[in-house]
Amino acid sequence: MEPVSPLKPAEPRDRKLSIHVVTWNVASAAPPVDLDSLLQLDSQDPNLDMYVIGLQEMSCGIMSLLSDTAFEDPWSSFFMDVLSPLSFIKGNKGGVNICLRLYGYYVSIINCHLPPHLANNDQRLEHFDWILEMQNFEEPDIPNILDHDLIVWFGDMNFRIEDFGLHFVREAVKSQSYSDLWEKDQLSIAKRCNTLLREFQEGPLLFPPTYKFDKNSNSYDTSEKKRKPAWTDRILWRLKRQPHTDSCTPRLPAPGFSLSLRSYVSHMMYTISDHKPVTGTFDLELKPLVSVPLITLKPEALWAVENAMLINYSLTQDFPSSPWDWIGLYKVGLRHINDYVSYVWVRDNQVSISDGLNQVYINMSDIPETEDQFLLCYYSNSLRSVVGISNPFKIHAFLEEDPLGEVQPQM
C-alpha cells in the first residue's frame, strides 16, 4: 500500500447508502395498524439509511386540512411514530419535488399522480414533460431538474394495459404470465418511443398489477365498471449522463456515482385501498465530492451559574452563513426539525471567533436533569436544511458536584 503523505489529505472513502422508496395511493383511507413489512422493519437487518415515502389521494376534507394545520396529518404522524425511534427525521419540505445534496451530489425526488383512465395516455405523457419543464432552480450548477445527478420519480402514474381484454389480462395475472402484458403496458411503450422517458430506468415488473382492487380484499375490481388490472404505481430513476464531444459515443453516468436496485415489489397484504403499495430498495454508491461537513458541532460544558451550555462549532470557508441560522438542542429520537428543546441564534449569542472556531451559549434553564440523550443540530436558513449534527450526549454528563455541594462544570 502506498503511504499517505502528511502534506496530502487522504482521498475520501467511497460511501454506500441504502434508500427505501415507497409509493402508495391510499384512496383517502386511514393508516393501517401495522406497516412493518412495507418499511422492511420485519427484516432482521434492514440496513437502510433513508426512507422516501410518497402517498397519493390522502384525505383532503376541511377537517383534515384544519387538522394538518394545527397538528400533523395522520399518515405522517403514523410513519414518524415508527421511524423516529430509529433516528429517522421528517424534513419540512412540501409539494411534489424535493431536492437535496448528498456528499456534494444533487438528488431530485418526485412524487406524482398523473391523469387516470385508459384513453388519457397522451395527457399522462404531457404531464410528464410539463413537470420536467416547470422545475427550474436558482443554483447555477442545476438550472434544470435534468441537471441533477440522480432523479427518483415515483407515484400513481396511472399507465394502463392496452389492447388486451379484461379476461385475457386477468388470466395472465392469475398464471403469472406477466411478460405477455409488458409489451402492451403504456409506460413501457412510451419508453420505447420517447427519447427523454427512455433515460429513466425501472426494475422488472415481477409482481401483480397493483390496480384496481376491491377494498379490504385481494380481488380485482368486481364492480360494474370491472376495470382491467394495471401497473399504475411505479418507481423510476435516472442517472445524469456525462456529455461526449463525439456524438457516436454513448453517454455514461457520472464517475464514482452509481445506483443499483436491490428489490422492486408490491405488498399484497395491505388492503385498505384499491391500490397496492410498491417499494423499491436501492443501493447508492458514491465517491464523496465533499469530504468535510459544512458544520461541525461539539457541546463543551454546562455552566450551572449561567444556565447555559457552551457550543463550539466550525464551518467550511464556502459555507453561506446567515444571521438567521440557528442551533437547536434536541432529544435523540426527534420527529421533526421543530421538535427542539431549546435553540439559539448563532449571531445573537456568539461569544468568540478564532481560527475558524465559533462559540455560542444556549439557554439550559428549562431543561431538567434527565437520563435522555441529546444532540445539537445546526439549521441553515440559506440552504433551508440541517447542515450539522453533533454526536449524542447526556446533559448530566457535563455536571459534577464539589465537596461543598456546588455544581461545577466538568473540564
Side-chain angles (χ1 to χ4, degrees), residues 296 298 300 303 309-315 327 344-362 378:
T296 303
K298 186 177 180 182
E300 288 303 310
W303 299 91
M309 179 170 62
L310 180 66
I311 301 172
N312 286 340
Y313 71 94
S314 58
L315 45 83
I327 296 173
V344 58
W345 298 103
V346 295
R347 297 283 180 88
D348 291 350
N349 293 66
Q350 192 167 271
V351 292
S352 67
I353 303 177
S354 61
D355 297 328
L357 184 66
N358 300 265
Q359 292 184 324
V360 295
Y361 281 114
I362 187 169
Y378 187 110

Side-chain angles (χ1 to χ4, degrees), residues 25 28 36 53 69 71 124 130 132 138 149 164 198 217 232 246 321 325 340 351 358 392-393 399:
N25 183 321
S28 301
D36 284 0
I53 301 172
T69 301
F71 307 102
R124 283 186 279 276
W130 180 78
L132 289 176
E138 296 179 359
D149 296 288
F164 295 137
R198 192 184 304 149
S217 79
T232 57
D246 181 2
S321 61
D325 291 355
Y340 51 80
V351 292
N358 300 265
F393 59 90
L399 297 176

Side-chain angles (χ1 to χ4, degrees), residues 166 170 173-174 208-223 226-230 267-276:
L166 173 64
R170 287 194 173 183
V173 173
K174 185 177 180 180
T210 55
Y211 175 84
K212 171 180 171 68
F213 289 87
D214 293 337
K215 290 186 179 181
N216 302 312
S217 79
N218 283 324
S219 300
Y220 285 104
D221 188 15
T222 60
S223 69
K226 288 187 171 57
R227 294 183 180 89
K228 282 194 300 183
H267 297 261
M268 295 292 291
M269 64 181 290
Y270 298 106
T271 62
I272 62 170
S273 170
D274 54 356
H275 291 251
K276 299 298 182 183

Side-chain angles (χ1 to χ4, degrees), residues 249-292:
T249 305
R251 295 190 299 170
L252 300 174
F257 189 84
S258 64
L259 189 76
S260 59
L261 181 65
R262 192 194 305 174
S263 71
Y264 188 36
V265 297
S266 65
H267 297 261
M268 295 292 291
M269 64 181 290
Y270 298 106
T271 62
I272 62 170
S273 170
D274 54 356
H275 291 251
K276 299 298 182 183
V278 172
T279 60
T281 306
F282 299 88
D283 290 319
L284 176 61
E285 297 189 52
L286 53 86
K287 184 180 292 295
L289 300 177
V290 177
S291 57
V292 179

Side-chain angles (χ1 to χ4, degrees), residues 40-228:
Q40 290 195 354
L41 298 179
D42 54 357
S43 172
Q44 291 184 350
D45 183 20
N47 189 29
L48 297 173
D49 298 296
M50 183 187 300
Y51 283 93
V52 178
I53 301 172
L55 306 178
Q56 304 87 42
E57 289 194 21
M58 294 174 60
S59 178
C60 292
I62 183 64
M63 292 306 296
S64 175
L65 291 174
L66 291 174
S67 175
D68 294 351
T69 301
F71 307 102
E72 188 175 42
D73 70 87
W75 280 95
S76 294
S77 179
F78 184 92
F79 278 119
M80 291 316 301
D81 283 342
V82 176
L83 296 177
S84 60
L86 303 178
S87 300
F88 288 95
I89 301 171
K90 179 173 76 71
N92 63 341
K93 302 294 190 300
V96 297
N97 181 237
I98 295 175
C99 299
L100 60 147
R101 293 186 70 185
L102 292 176
Y103 295 97
Y105 295 92
Y106 292 98
V107 177
S108 179
I109 297 168
I110 304 173
N111 172 22
C112 73
H113 191 179
L114 301 182
H117 307 308
L118 178 66
N120 290 333
N121 192 44
D122 288 343
Q123 288 187 31
R124 283 186 279 276
L125 296 176
E126 287 174 4
H127 278 231
F128 178 86
D129 292 337
W130 180 78
I131 290 172
L132 289 176
E133 291 173 1
M134 292 300 292
Q135 300 294 325
N136 297 310
F137 305 89
E138 296 179 359
E139 289 278 347
D141 295 337
I142 48 166
N144 185 269
I145 196 169
L146 294 174
D147 296 308
H148 286 70
D149 296 288
L150 170 64
I151 302 173
V152 180
W153 194 325
F154 57 93
D156 180 0
M157 298 187 177
N158 259 320
F159 289 105
R160 308 302 172 95
I161 296 173
E162 294 185 347
D163 297 339
F164 295 137
L166 173 64
H167 180 73
F168 180 88
V169 173
R170 287 194 173 183
E171 286 300 312
V173 173
K174 185 177 180 180
S175 63
Q176 298 186 6
S177 302
Y178 303 135
S179 59
D180 294 338
L181 306 178
W182 293 341
E183 291 186 1
K184 297 300 182 180
D185 169 67
Q186 289 179 332
L187 178 56
S188 300
I189 294 172
K191 283 172 61 64
R192 293 195 291 267
C193 304
N194 187 306
T195 304
L196 182 57
L197 191 54
R198 192 184 304 149
E199 295 185 5
F200 285 84
Q201 301 179 60
E202 183 182 16
L205 297 171
L206 302 179
F207 49 87
T210 55
Y211 175 84
K212 171 180 171 68
F213 289 87
D214 293 337
K215 290 186 179 181
N216 302 312
S217 79
N218 283 324
S219 300
Y220 285 104
D221 188 15
T222 60
S223 69
E224 293 182 0
K225 294 183 178 180
K226 288 187 171 57
R227 294 183 180 89
K228 282 194 300 183

